């Protein structure tokens, strides 16, 4: 799911990508909110909060929300530059490298939050996670050609409504049945993305309540091992060419 690109990608590949990384994003988003009271990936809400604080002339708090949005964009920018470099040099594992980087940075953030809480604090957590969610979203968007997004569900929920409308029109004989399988696949893909985000969110709360900031280590280790497994697959595939 992190190696196949362009025509080599299938519905199953995208579904696995969506389920896995939406699970991670949901867990990080809700656990961070439980920890510090802010969402790291909800840019719609953060921009709305920014506008509200600006309207009230609460500039220090407005600056904080501005920083969250900018770091999400910065994470996406950094990831895209890395992907572009990898594609120009035919590095098939460049998407895996992004996820490995995300996992390792989560591990570093977890260690910092646990052992140096007086230095880290909630501010570092939310700003770091905003950057990492931007990074992850760019990876998923690029490798799936924008078919999948995992760090927020507004667009995904809209897509579900569109696919449902198309299927309803087919049932009413207002549209051709030719593309019914395509609409059903898209509906399943978007539905599984939201479901995984929901399940991940519940799991993130449980992890935080059981482990505190150790939840960052669990998720970081999961992503690191996942990426290392795909790096091994990519190396083995290249050796067999």
């Amino acid at each position: 799911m992190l190696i196949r690109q362009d025509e080599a990608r299938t519905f199953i590949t995208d579904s696995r990508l969506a389920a896995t990384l939406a699970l991670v994003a949901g867990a990080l988003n809700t656990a961070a909110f439980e920890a510090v009271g802010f969402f790291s990936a909800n840019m719609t809400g953060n921009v709305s909060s920014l506008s509200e604080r600006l309207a009230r002339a609460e500039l220090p708090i407005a600056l904080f929300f501005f920083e969250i949005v900018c770091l999400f964009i910065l994470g996406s920018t950094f990831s895209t530059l890395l992907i572009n470099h990898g594609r120009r040099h035919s590095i098939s594992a460049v998407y895996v490298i992004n996820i490995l980087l995300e996992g390792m940075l989560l591990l570093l953030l977890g260690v910092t939050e646990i052992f140096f809480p007086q230095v880290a604090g909630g501010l570092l957590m939310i700003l770091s996670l905003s950057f990492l969610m931007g990074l992850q979203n760019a990876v998923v968007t690029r490798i799936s050609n924008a078919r999948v997004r995992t760090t927020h569900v507004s667009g995904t929920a809209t897509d579900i409504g569109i696919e449902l409308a198309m299927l309803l029109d087919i049932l009413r004989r207002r549209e051709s049945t030719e593309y019914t399988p395509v609409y059903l696949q898209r509906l399943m893909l978007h539905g599984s993305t939201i479901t995984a985000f929901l399940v991940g969110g519940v799991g993130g709360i449980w992890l935080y309540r059981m482990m505190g900031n150790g939840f960052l280590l669990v998720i970081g280790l999961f992503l690191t091992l996942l990426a290392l497994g795909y790096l091994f697959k990519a190396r083995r595939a290249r050796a067999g060419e």
Side-chain angles (χ1 to χ4, degrees):
M1 68 179 182
L2 290 172
I3 299 175
R4 294 182 180 178
Q5 302 177 38
D6 304 323
E7 292 79 11
R9 297 194 66 80
T10 65
F11 165 71
I12 294 176
T13 307
D14 281 344
S15 295
R16 290 173 60 195
L17 177 73
T20 303
L21 293 186
L23 193 75
V24 168
L28 288 174
N29 213 35
T30 57
F33 185 81
E34 182 79 358
V36 296
F38 295 96
F39 287 115
S40 59
N42 180 14
M43 292 304 108
T44 303
N46 288 329
V47 172
S48 296
S49 296
L50 170 60
S51 62
E52 177 194 11
R53 299 300 180 174
L54 285 174
R56 295 179 178 181
E58 298 175 355
L59 298 184
I61 303 178
L63 177 61
F64 174 65
F65 283 109
F66 180 72
E67 289 172 347
I68 292 176
V69 175
C70 286
L71 280 167
F72 187 92
I73 295 171
L74 183 62
S76 177
T77 302
F78 174 81
S79 177
T80 301
L81 289 172
L82 187 59
I83 291 168
N84 289 346
H85 175 80
R87 290 178 72 96
R88 282 194 298 267
H89 293 82
S90 300
I91 303 173
S92 60
V94 63
Y95 298 99
V96 185
I97 293 170
N98 270 272
I99 298 302
L100 177 61
L101 180 62
E102 180 183 359
M104 293 176 68
L105 288 174
L106 279 171
L107 289 173
L108 178 61
L109 177 62
V111 169
T112 305
E113 289 285 348
I114 292 170
F115 295 104
F116 306 99
Q118 69 281 3
V119 176
L123 181 64
L124 177 65
M125 180 190 294
I126 197 66
L127 293 177
S128 299
L129 290 180
S130 295
F131 175 86
L132 292 176
M133 289 296 93
L135 181 149
Q136 179 181 307
N137 207 40
V139 171
V140 173
T141 301
R142 290 294 301 276
I143 197 171
S144 69
N145 290 322
R147 289 186 296 271
V148 178
R149 283 185 171 82
T150 57
T151 62
H152 55 278
V153 297
S154 299
T156 305
T158 302
D159 291 335
I160 288 176
I162 291 171
E163 308 309 336
L164 285 174
M166 297 306 297
L167 289 170
L168 284 173
D169 267 352
I170 288 173
L171 288 175
R172 297 166 57 208
R173 301 179 185 276
R174 302 293 178 86
E175 294 286 340
S176 170
T177 60
E178 178 183 0
Y179 295 106
T180 300
V182 175
Y183 297 137
L184 286 172
Q185 280 193 346
R186 289 176 182 171
L187 186 61
M188 292 171 61
L189 174 63
H190 300 316
S192 65
T193 301
I194 289 185
T195 301
F197 193 90
L198 174 65
V199 172
V202 174
I205 295 290
W206 288 347
L207 272 178
Y208 179 75
R209 290 179 178 175
M210 288 189 299
M211 304 180 63
N213 291 334
F215 83 93
L216 293 166
L217 297 180
V218 173
I219 300 175
L221 182 61
F222 168 73
L223 286 177
T224 300
L225 293 176
L226 177 71
L228 288 175
Y230 274 98
L231 278 178
F232 177 75
K233 287 182 181 180
R235 178 175 294 183
R236 189 171 56 183
R238 175 164 289 188
E241 290 178 354

